[in-house]
Amino acid sequence: MQFEKILVIGLGQLGLPAAKYVKEKGFEVYGFDASLEAVNRAESIGGIERAHDFRDYDAYIICISTHSPDDMFSPQTEGILSIADRISKEAKRDGALVSIESTIPRGTSQKVFEILRHRLHVVHAPHRWYALEEKEHGVNQLRVIGGVCDCCLGVGMQFYDKETIEDNNNHNYSNNNTFSTIHTNSATLEPSLNTKMVTYKKSLEIPMHPVSRIVIAETTKIVENAHRYLQIAFAEELYLYSQANNISFPELRDALNTKWNVNILEPREGIGGHCLPKDTRMFLESSNSIRSRILTAAMEVDHNYRAFRAGLNHRLHVEEDHND
Ligand SMILES: NC(=O)c1ccc[n+]([C@@H]2O[C@H](COP(=O)([O-])OP(=O)(O)OC[C@H]3O[C@@H](n4cnc5c(N)ncnc54)[C@H](O)[C@@H]3O)[C@@H](O)[C@H]2O)c1
């Protein structure tokens, strides 16, 4: 599969840098967004051409928001499913790639795949993009990727990965430092007769970590953020503990962090942004039988910490007013 013409859908905080990166890599990039403002911004800042339809593309990268418009902490996938429906109706190129880069609840990729009826390949390659450290943690950093089928993953790896190797069935892949390889007979581990030189195709050259099932890719992303949520909640609890017991939290934290395997975070204003609370909720709601008790407690801690900070700020304001 040769990739040339790419459509990035969703040109917000994540989609715009993603589109710019794809363009820098030499692809022909178009952008689409429900917001005209986002499309205009992408055109003026990133030189991303606006798409008028979803017809002629080799790859569709979905970066739209996945929260409810009324509540940024509530996960919502209707947007992704309606995009999939539109791609299914308009896409002309069979075998093109649909990559979901937005954060999604477990099972969403399978729904997209069913809408597309496998006429196009579906992968999930969630982002680890971090606005404050875009150089180190931008678009091009180690990422996890899963495919709904092996062939989807093979095509996804071809598009994304730094170095991808195809086998004779066209659906194996691995990260490797060579651009050509000799295949072995899997039963005997002897070099097989139908050895095949593999050519290196144009790709995004992002180091990818492929996983065997798409649910692993979906779960990885939301657990990463749930893990971060827990770490911050622990710092918040330690802060409240310090306040209640007349201990200096900054001094305690500095002392703790001198140990090689301890890293207590700063609780700051509480667990902010929309990604950590939304994705933690996605994870909490993703299991039918087991609901994480530790995360439920962490949410309670964050609530208490925020209430404490609000009370503290309120008291400070009252004191300032008295001193005026
Ligand atoms: N921003 C980050 O740091 C970050 C990091 C990792 C993952 N993510 C995930 O990436 C996704 C996008 O996040 P973001 O921060 O870029 O959000 P954002 O709100 O900045 O941008 C989302 C864009 O999608 C557009 N959009 C929403 N629904 C649409 C639809 N149905 N059709 C077309 N366009 C639509 C919006 O107009 C907006 O421009 C989310 O799932 C988020 O959780 C974000």
Side-chain angles (χ1 to χ4, degrees), residues 9-17 32-39 41 54 62-67 76 78-83 101-104 126-132 221 225 274-276 278-279 282:
I9 303 167
L11 297 165
Q13 224 189 348
L14 183 72
L16 179 54
F32 176 84
D33 197 293
S35 144
L36 187 59
E37 201 187 326
V39 176
R41 189 179 49 225
F54 284 16
I62 303 180
C63 295
I64 70 167
S65 31
T66 44
H67 60 264
Q76 192 181 82
E78 275 80 354
I80 300 249
L81 301 182
S82 74
I83 292 288
E101 296 200 356
S102 304
T103 306
I104 47 175
H127 258 280
R128 288 171 167 164
W129 190 80
Y130 182 46
L132 301 180
K221 174 65 200 179
N225 278 354
H274 65 267
C275 281
L276 294 190
K278 164 178 71 71
D279 300 350
M282 271 189 197

Side-chain angles (χ1 to χ4, degrees), residues 13 129-137 268:
Q13 224 189 348
W129 190 80
Y130 182 46
L132 301 180
E133 290 165 15
E134 204 178 343
K135 197 158 175 282
E136 305 83 1
H137 303 297
R268 299 186 190 164

